[in-house]
Amino acid sequence: MRLVLRARRVGDPSPGGRSSSPGRSVATMDIGIIGAGNIGGNLTRAFSRLGHTVKVANSRGPETLADLAQETGATAVAAEDAARGVELVVVTIPQGKVPDLPATLLDPLPDGAVVVDTGNYYPQQRDGRIDAIEGGTPETVWTAQHLDPRGRLQWVKAFNGIMAEHLLTAGRQPGDLERRALPIAGDSADAKRVVGGLVDELGFDVVDAGSLADSWRQQPGTPVYGAEAGVDGITQALADAPTERPAEFRG
């Protein structure tokens, strides 16, 4: 049985009695985004629209993000500064580039901070063969081993199977019959509540896909990858995931 996380609706009173205007965050956060490709760029846009404070970085330097920063109000920073002074970091870079990042990149985060990984392994199309993933290590577990070798942080797999443009266009209000759901996986219930709240703000329901060890159910080639469905459909797609990675997503 899958747990559906019901985050507080945007505009509902907060536990402290405050409320927010529609389209704005109930509780704003300081968010760092490492990677400014299709997903990273649109998460920057979406989170900024919701009133969150966003730092965004890429591998080419902050000067290359001037247009995105001007458009969104986000702050373009060097990669080594993306985790400084923030509460949550999103890592959204090609899987094969993860080892190029310094293992100290996330050191500025306090113990227990939340890290969202959107990564997908495309061995034939982009990343080349990664033996550990081929051997069964889920993608986010592998990324965490590189960037969080001491295991200080709380990792959540999210946003890896949605088309980037849908982050800005597909969200719906709670109760809308066309409201879609997204899966998230992680080992910390608290971390999943935080990420689930962000997903809810973006206009999607949340289906808990289990632990990081279960996050293979979200990988490319699985039924849930790219699925456009509500809670029941996403829950069933996760349950239907085959244990063997499809041939087109093996190195």
Side-chain angles (χ1 to χ4, degrees), residues 10-11 20-28 48-52 201:
V10 176
S20 70
S21 302
R24 287 188 61 84
S25 169
V26 172
T28 58
S48 296
R49 289 178 184 178
L50 290 167
H52 299 290
E201 284 186 302

Side-chain angles (χ1 to χ4, degrees), residues 81-98:
D81 294 324
R84 297 186 188 281
V86 300
E87 302 163 74
L88 177 146
V89 166
V90 180
V91 177
T92 178
I93 68 169
Q95 197 83 47
K97 299 295 186 183
V98 169

Side-chain angles (χ1 to χ4, degrees), residues 10-180:
V10 176
D12 284 354
S14 71
R18 295 178 294 114
S19 62
S20 70
S21 302
R24 287 188 61 84
S25 169
V26 172
T28 58
M29 298 181 67
D30 295 315
I31 298 173
I33 298 180
I34 299 172
N38 293 333
I39 293 291
N42 278 355
L43 285 177
T44 299
R45 294 178 176 94
F47 290 152
S48 296
R49 289 178 184 178
L50 290 167
H52 299 290
T53 300
V54 179
K55 292 182 178 181
V56 60
N58 65 8
S59 61
R60 296 178 294 142
E63 64 279 0
T64 65
L65 297 173
D67 289 346
L68 180 62
Q70 182 175 16
E71 173 193 347
T72 63
T75 301
V77 298
E80 58 267 24
D81 294 324
R84 297 186 188 281
V86 300
E87 302 163 74
L88 177 146
V89 166
V90 180
V91 177
T92 178
I93 68 169
Q95 197 83 47
K97 299 295 186 183
V98 169
D100 296 340
L101 297 175
T104 58
L105 188 66
L106 301 180
D107 281 3
L109 290 173
D111 290 355
V114 178
V115 181
V116 177
D117 173 51
T118 76
N120 290 312
Y121 174 51
Y122 300 119
Q124 299 176 31
Q125 300 88 345
R126 182 189 64 192
D127 299 314
R129 180 182 173 89
I130 299 174
D131 288 340
I133 296 178
E134 294 284 341
T137 300
E139 296 156 344
T140 297
V141 173
W142 182 84
T143 297
Q145 289 171 348
H146 281 272
L147 298 181
D148 182 25
R150 291 178 288 162
R152 299 186 307 110
L153 308 172
Q154 303 291 348
W155 288 75
V156 176
K157 179 84 165 188
F159 303 121
N160 72 296
I162 182 173
M163 294 181 66
E165 60 265 34
H166 289 178
L167 291 167
L168 301 177
T169 63
R172 298 290 185 271
Q173 290 295 319
D176 191 310
L177 294 179
E178 295 185 359
R179 183 165 158 115
R180 288 163 51 181

